[in-house]
Amino acid sequence: MANVRFRRPVAPVFVSFAEVYSVDGVEGRNIELQCPITVPLSQVYMVLWFKDNAGIPLYSVDVRDKISRQPAHWSAPEVFGSRAKFNIDKSPASLLIKNLKRHDQGVYRCRIDFRTIQTQTYRYNLSVIVLPEQPVVLDRWGRHINGTKLGPKEEGDDVVITCRVSGGRPQPEVRWLINGVIVDDQYEQNSGDVIENRLLWPTIQRSDLNSIFTCQTMNTRLVEAKETSYVLDMHLKPLTVKVINAPASLVADKRYEASCQSTGSRPNAIITWYKGKRQMRRTKDELLDHNTTVSVLSFVPTTEDDGKTLTCRAENPNVNGLFLETDWKMNVVYPPMVTIQLGPTLVVDDIKEGDDVYFECHVRANPDWKKLQWFHNDILLQYNGTARIIQSGQSLVLQKVTKQSAGNYACSAINAEGETVSDQQFLRVKHVPVCAVDRLSASNGAAANVVGSSEGGRGTGILIGASRNENVEILCHIFADPPARSFHWRFNNSAEILQIEPHRYTSQGNVSVLNYTPVTDQDYGTLTCWAVNEVGPQSQPCAFQLVLADLPAPVTNCTLLANRTQQLAEIQCAPGYDGGLPQMFVLELISKRTGTRRFNFSNKNEPFFVLDRLEKLSALMTLENNSLSCVVFALNQRGRSGPVPIPDFEIGRIQSYRAADERTEPVEWLPIAVGILLTVIILALSISTKTYLGQCWAGTGCCCLVRRHSKRIETADSGGKSELQTKNMLLADEYECGGAHCLKLKNVQMLRRHSSRKKNTSKDSNDDEPEPDVIPAQFNLVSSSPLITSPLHKGTTPGRLKAHQDTRFDDPLLACTEGPPYQSSTGASASLNSYHVVPSDTHPASAQHTSASSEALEYRSEGSIVGILPSPKPLAGSELDINVIKDRLLTTRVPESCV
């Protein structure tokens, strides 16, 4: 029997007054009240059900006519109606009451009437149980909690909730269960039929997460208890935070990534990075699982970050003030950072000669620096106690500084990451004036030659050559810091010492210019000047030795030493009067065919020259169908002497032109005959020309200067005598152009040019052709533009000038004229160490020039630059040219013996 609780077992009794049984039923559910029939149904007459003491049945079953029909059931509509049905066929038989109502409660009596036996009665006290309503859970403020989640709460919070139950008969029980365990069954009636149970669960922990809080109510065991459950939700702070895979050291200005991992947070932690108090923004977060978070920071450390701390902070934003963080100290390695500073106790603009100065080098490096160096004007300074240069730790001490100590100072530091040089610190050292410039500008452009020290007048000073009544501008240039305030000049000769009036010289800055004109011999002597600045007067004046000067005399007794070989030649001359000024000596090699200057050599000490590797130069000149003669002259600041030729000295030879295909062509006698006739005429003209040239040479001589850079000859003995003679060697390995404008060409271009001339003998017929099968020596072929013609020497007579202009000479030595002294770019005389090539355009023979003759060869001698100069271009005219006639004769295959 469903939903029925009997308080004692039910058994049929055959008494007139039946025992009452208690039966519980639940409202709205079904209940069966038993009325057992213990005899066959045929013996039953009628079954009747009564409530309380009513005499009218509320349900009846009539089985009196069961044989002919089914038992008749009747239910009082005002009581049960269709809700009740007696199941007579069931054992035991029972009355089923559906949807039990509250008013169905009462005492029910079942009476069974039999045909032949005594009536049986059963009595039941039916109690209808009214279930309570579903429990309702309220928070501590009496608000209804919706959903199934309790919270979220934080660790340490108290859970205060109330379970409220309404209705129920009998009065229900209300209790709290956590995870199925009863934790509170104390309840109280609030008002009416409302019952409440208030739960206080203090200081919840992380372990309480997801705990199930259940409010349960019940007033009968016939049905399950009613309950309402909630899951505890919590916000949890992170449990761990750490930096993973952190590098041991970081290189400055290189990008790195660092990872920070946090676990235990609910929900997942938010990770932030801080460098000091500044938050780092370049991060990327990754959620590994429900409570593990990884944040990757991308950053570029700088040198300023060394030793600083990166902080990784993990926090749950829902948990106020609760976070975890870890620190990572960065070790940033970098090259040294170096700064230099003048000693703080020094006044930068008040350092004078004789003061002590010190610098401090400040270095910041990781790892520590291992080596410290000091530089003065980019030159490494070494510890030198004698020179009063002291290095101590990170300081540089300069004791008793001089004017040479001024300049830029720097320090450098080296560690494992590299070397760094500091910015330069300029050191200014104030000092009295000292002589600085060793040159002057004269009115005629003569160059000043230094024969003594320019400082302090410890020698004869600057030697200046001047003629009488010649105005000379003498520049006194000094170094001074601060600049000079005034200058003073003084003249001294053997007879007197004179102070020069200020109006005779001008001063501007550190330069004073004196205009001086010697008139008599007494005006030659020593001029001195000195300056004064705020530090003091100049200790030693600048001296200028003014002497009466003239051109040097030609060299004499020039001889070719007997030990000449095919490869080597030595030429020795005797020097002449130097004209009162230091002189140097120049040897020139001149083309005998064109008169141009091909090579030059110089010796600053004596007229002695050594020519080496002559066999290669001779082969080269033979290839050009040319030969070289030699002249020597002296040179000083006033000009040059006349040239002196070296007799019986020649390099190369003039050879006949041979066509490449002359072996294959038949001999033509008519051109040979014409050639013989022309040869006789040419020989006659040549003899007369040479005779005239010999007379002209006896009257005067000339030469052309080739610009070069001479090798400086060192002197070591106290008397100033030369210990080493100049070695002017011919070096066949390399060449340079002796002119101002040269273009380098290849040997192949020269060979092609020669071969092109063989194909067309009518064009450029006056060019010299080499043998086609001869391979030239390894010389660089150089093309040179024509050079400026120098004017005639002032010593040349008009008659001689006219002879130069009207007569064609075959000797190139007589074809050049002497030029004036060479002017420097500043207007002063040029140094004796360089000479310009000055080919003469008045030489008639030099007018014979072809397209091939515009090329020049050059080579470098030991200590000087030697140039092969171009031949002048031909002059337009109808006069006969000896070389042209020779070349044309060669093209007609005239034998050399005829020429």
Side-chain angles (χ1 to χ4, degrees):
M1 184 174 59
N3 298 324
V4 176
R5 184 175 64 183
F6 293 94
R7 299 179 182 175
R8 62 182 64 183
V10 177
V13 292
F14 302 96
V15 294
S16 57
F17 297 96
E19 184 178 358
V20 178
Y21 295 94
S22 296
V23 180
D24 292 335
V26 179
E27 183 183 19
R29 301 187 178 232
N30 299 337
I31 190 174
E32 289 183 352
L33 300 178
Q34 296 179 358
C35 187
I37 300 175
T38 60
V39 296
L41 187 61
S42 61
Q43 298 297 322
V44 178
Y45 183 76
M46 185 173 289
V47 179
L48 300 172
W49 283 91
F50 299 92
K51 182 179 180 183
D52 298 331
N53 296 320
I56 300 173
L58 52 88
Y59 194 93
S60 67
V61 179
D62 187 1
V63 294
R64 289 177 294 181
D65 197 11
K66 184 179 179 190
I67 299 175
S68 59
R69 52 187 175 85
Q70 291 292 331
H73 294 265
W74 176 83
S75 177
E78 67 275 7
V79 180
F80 293 130
S82 61
R83 294 190 296 118
K85 182 177 181 181
F86 186 77
N87 191 353
I88 194 172
D89 297 327
K90 188 176 179 181
S91 179
S94 60
L95 176 65
L96 175 63
I97 304 173
K98 299 178 181 178
N99 193 14
L100 197 61
K101 304 295 185 182
R102 295 184 184 185
H103 59 264
D104 292 337
Q105 181 172 313
V107 179
Y108 290 86
R109 177 169 53 91
C110 173
R111 191 183 76 180
I112 304 174
D113 293 335
F114 299 98
R115 293 181 182 273
T116 61
I117 62 176
Q118 187 179 357
T119 300
Q120 294 180 354
T121 302
Y122 298 93
R123 296 174 64 90
Y124 297 96
N125 184 10
L126 176 61
S127 297
V128 178
I129 298 174
V130 179
L131 297 177
E133 296 180 1
Q134 190 71 22
V136 175
V137 178
L138 308 176
D139 60 15
R140 65 172 62 194
W141 295 281
R143 294 174 300 189
H144 184 267
I145 299 177
N146 297 320
T148 61
K149 184 178 292 187
L150 183 62
K153 301 292 184 179
E154 297 181 9
E155 288 185 81
D157 287 353
D158 296 334
V159 176
V160 180
I161 50 178
T162 301
C163 181
R164 176 180 293 175
V165 178
S166 300
R169 189 182 62 190
Q171 187 179 31
E173 297 178 357
V174 179
R175 57 188 179 185
W176 281 102
L177 294 82
I178 297 180
N179 296 328
V181 178
I182 299 175
V183 296
D184 186 4
D185 58 357
Q186 302 296 321
Y187 57 91
E188 61 183 6
Q189 186 173 1
N190 188 4
S191 61
D193 59 352
V194 177
I195 300 175
E196 294 181 348
N197 188 346
R198 183 180 180 88
L199 173 66
L200 172 61
W201 193 253
T203 317
I204 58 175
Q205 303 298 322
R206 178 181 293 268
S207 58
D208 294 328
L209 176 66
N210 295 326
S211 294
I212 300 175
F213 286 71
T214 303
C215 173
Q216 188 179 81
T217 181
M218 63 182 299
N219 60 357
T220 180
R221 296 185 181 275
L222 296 178
V223 294
E224 295 181 355
K226 291 185 177 182
E227 57 186 28
T228 301
S229 298
Y230 291 89
V231 178
L232 178 62
D233 186 18
M234 298 182 67
H235 287 160
L236 303 177
K237 67 179 181 180
L239 288 179
T240 63
V241 60
K242 60 182 178 179
V243 177
I244 57 177
N245 301 327
S249 61
L250 307 172
V251 179
D253 301 324
K254 182 179 178 182
R255 183 166 293 281
Y256 290 90
E257 288 186 350
S259 299
C260 181
Q261 177 177 294
S262 173
T263 60
S265 175
R266 180 181 173 85
N268 288 79
I270 295 177
I271 298 178
T272 53
W273 291 84
Y274 294 89
K275 183 171 67 174
K277 295 182 179 179
R278 185 171 66 89
Q279 183 177 352
M280 310 290 285
R281 300 291 184 181
R282 193 164 185 167
T283 59
K284 179 176 65 177
D285 294 340
E286 180 180 359
L287 304 180
L288 299 184
D289 53 37
H290 66 279
N291 65 350
T292 302
T293 306
V294 175
S295 176
V296 179
L297 170 66
S298 177
F299 69 105
V300 178
T302 65
T303 56
E304 302 295 332
D305 295 333
D306 182 36
K308 290 186 177 180
T309 300
L310 273 181
T311 301
C312 172
R313 176 182 295 177
E315 59 184 331
N316 188 337
N318 300 304
V319 179
N320 297 327
L322 296 179
F323 60 85
L324 290 180
E325 62 182 23
T326 183
D327 294 335
W328 171 42
K329 188 175 182 180
M330 292 183 290
N331 179 31
V332 182
V333 296
Y334 52 91
M337 301 179 65
V338 187
T339 58
I340 186 174
Q341 180 181 4
L342 193 63
T345 61
L346 301 176
V347 180
V348 177
D349 295 329
D350 195 26
I351 298 175
K352 304 181 182 63
E353 283 189 299
D355 293 346
D356 293 340
V357 176
Y358 69 98
F359 293 91
E360 294 179 350
C361 188
H362 301 282
V363 182
R364 184 161 63 91
N366 185 24
D368 292 337
W369 60 272
K370 298 179 180 179
K371 186 178 181 181
L372 197 67
Q373 294 178 325
W374 293 89
F375 298 90
H376 177 213
N377 293 332
D378 297 328
I379 299 175
L380 180 64
L381 285 177
Q382 301 291 348
Y383 183 94
N384 190 343
T386 304
R388 303 177 186 271
I389 300 175
I390 302 172
Q391 300 178 13
S392 176
Q394 294 180 225
S395 299
L396 172 67
V397 180
L398 306 176
Q399 296 179 335
K400 307 297 182 183
V401 295
T402 64
K403 57 182 174 296
Q404 288 79 16
S405 302
N408 292 313
Y409 286 81
C411 64
S412 73
I414 302 173
N415 70 353
E417 294 299 316
E419 179 181 5
T420 305
V421 181
S422 69
D423 293 336
Q424 293 184 338
Q425 173 72 47
F426 180 75
L427 175 63
R428 178 187 180 189
V429 179
K430 293 183 178 180
H431 59 88
V432 297
V434 294
C435 294
V437 176
D438 298 336
R439 64 178 60 185
L440 57 87
S441 176
S443 60
N444 62 353
N449 182 41
V450 180
V451 297
S453 173
S454 63
E455 293 187 19
R458 288 185 292 271
T460 57
I462 301 176
L463 187 62
I464 302 173
S467 304
R468 289 185 178 87
N469 298 317
E470 178 184 1
N471 182 37
V472 179
E473 287 187 353
I474 303 175
L475 275 70
C476 179
H477 190 184
I478 58 96
F479 284 147
D481 188 9
R485 292 188 298 188
S486 61
F487 282 85
H488 303 278
W489 285 84
R490 182 180 297 172
F491 175 77
N492 181 16
N493 58 17
S494 58
E496 57 184 349
I497 298 177
L498 299 176
Q499 195 78 19
I500 298 178
E501 297 84 355
H503 69 273
R504 298 184 60 182
Y505 58 85
T506 60
S507 301
Q508 183 176 4
N510 288 336
V511 178
S512 180
V513 180
L514 171 66
N515 289 288
Y516 190 82
T517 303
V519 177
T520 65
D521 292 342
Q522 297 299 320
D523 295 333
Y524 291 92
T526 302
L527 289 166
T528 57
C529 86
W530 65 93
V532 179
N533 67 354
E534 70 176 36
V535 179
Q538 186 172 342
S539 59
Q540 295 292 339
C542 301
F544 304 90
Q545 188 70 29
L546 187 64
V547 298
L548 181 62
D550 200 355
L551 296 176
V555 297
T556 59
N557 298 329
C558 290
T559 58
L560 183 64
L561 300 184
N563 60 347
R564 178 184 177 179
T565 64
Q566 185 178 0
Q567 298 181 357
L568 180 69
E570 294 182 353
I571 298 174
Q572 177 71 58
C573 300
Y577 174 63
D578 59 5
L581 296 171
Q583 65 178 345
M584 67 182 300
F585 306 95
V586 180
L587 180 146
E588 288 185 346
L589 297 179
I590 304 174
S591 172
K592 296 186 68 175
R593 182 172 66 85
T594 63
T596 58
R597 277 61 180 168
R598 292 299 184 93
F599 304 93
N600 79 322
F601 306 86
S602 65
N603 191 330
K604 191 175 181 180
N605 300 290
E606 58 178 336
F608 175 75
F609 305 93
V610 178
L611 307 182
D612 195 8
R613 299 187 183 183
L614 295 180
E615 77 285 355
K616 292 187 178 181
L617 184 59
S618 179
L620 176 64
M621 301 311 297
T622 302
L623 182 65
E624 286 192 315
N625 193 22
N626 199 355
S627 63
L628 300 175
S629 61
C630 178
V631 295
V632 178
F633 59 87
L635 185 70
N636 68 4
Q637 74 177 44
R638 302 296 296 175
R640 59 189 177 89
S641 69
V644 176
I646 306 300
D648 301 327
F649 180 79
E650 181 178 301
I651 297 175
R653 63 186 180 85
I654 300 178
Q655 66 175 4
S656 302
Y657 177 82
R658 295 289 188 272
D661 57 348
E662 70 176 333
R663 292 172 295 180
T664 61
E665 294 182 359
V667 177
E668 298 179 3
W669 294 103
L670 181 60
I672 294 177
V674 175
I676 294 174
L677 179 60
L678 291 176
T679 300
V680 174
I681 298 174
I682 291 170
L683 290 176
L685 291 175
S686 177
I687 293 172
S688 60
T689 301
K690 288 184 177 181
T691 303
Y692 184 82
L693 290 176
Q695 295 174 357
C696 181
W697 175 258
T700 183
C702 59
C703 67
C704 300
L705 300 179
V706 180
R707 180 176 184 174
R708 58 177 301 277
H709 297 285
S710 65
K711 179 179 180 181
R712 186 177 299 274
I713 307 300
E714 299 180 359
T715 58
D717 56 339
S718 60
K721 296 182 180 180
S722 173
E723 292 183 354
L724 299 175
Q725 67 179 8
T726 305
K727 296 290 184 179
N728 294 288
M729 301 294 184
L730 290 175
L731 302 178
D733 296 334
E734 57 177 340
Y735 288 85
E736 290 188 4
C737 179
H741 305 285
C742 296
L743 298 175
K744 293 186 178 181
L745 304 175
K746 299 294 183 181
N747 295 340
V748 178
Q749 294 175 336
M750 175 64 82
L751 294 177
R752 289 177 179 173
R753 200 173 284 112
H754 287 314
S755 62
S756 64
R757 295 195 195 103
K758 290 189 293 180
K759 295 180 182 179
N760 187 3
T761 57
S762 62
K763 180 180 179 181
D764 301 334
S765 59
N766 56 342
D767 287 346
D768 294 329
E769 287 291 331
E771 290 293 340
D773 296 331
V774 176
I775 299 176
Q778 297 301 318
F779 293 93
N780 294 331
L781 303 180
V782 183
S783 174
S784 177
S785 59
L787 302 179
I788 302 174
T789 302
S790 77
L792 294 177
H793 188 271
K794 59 185 177 182
T796 306
T797 61
R800 290 175 182 170
L801 178 60
K802 186 176 187 334
H804 281 297
Q805 295 174 345
D806 298 339
T807 307
R808 297 186 178 274
F809 300 109
D810 189 48
D811 192 340
L813 295 180
L814 301 179
C816 58
T817 59
E818 182 176 356
Y822 307 110
Q823 301 294 327
S824 68
S825 61
T826 59
S829 299
S831 171
L832 295 179
N833 295 331
S834 62
Y835 310 95
H836 294 271
V837 177
V838 189
S840 174
D841 59 355
T842 60
H843 192 290
S846 66
Q848 306 302 326
H849 187 60
T850 66
S851 62
S853 64
S854 63
E855 297 178 351
L857 299 176
E858 65 168 1
Y859 70 96
R860 183 187 303 274
S861 71
E862 186 174 23
S864 63
I865 298 176
V866 182
I868 299 179
L869 305 179
S871 302
K873 293 185 179 180
L875 297 174
S878 61
E879 297 180 80
L880 292 177
D881 190 301
I882 297 174
N883 291 325
V884 174
I885 296 175
K886 286 182 180 181
D887 291 340
R888 291 184 177 177
L889 285 176
L890 290 175
T891 60
T892 58
R893 300 172 183 81
V894 178
E896 288 184 89
S897 60
C898 296
V899 178

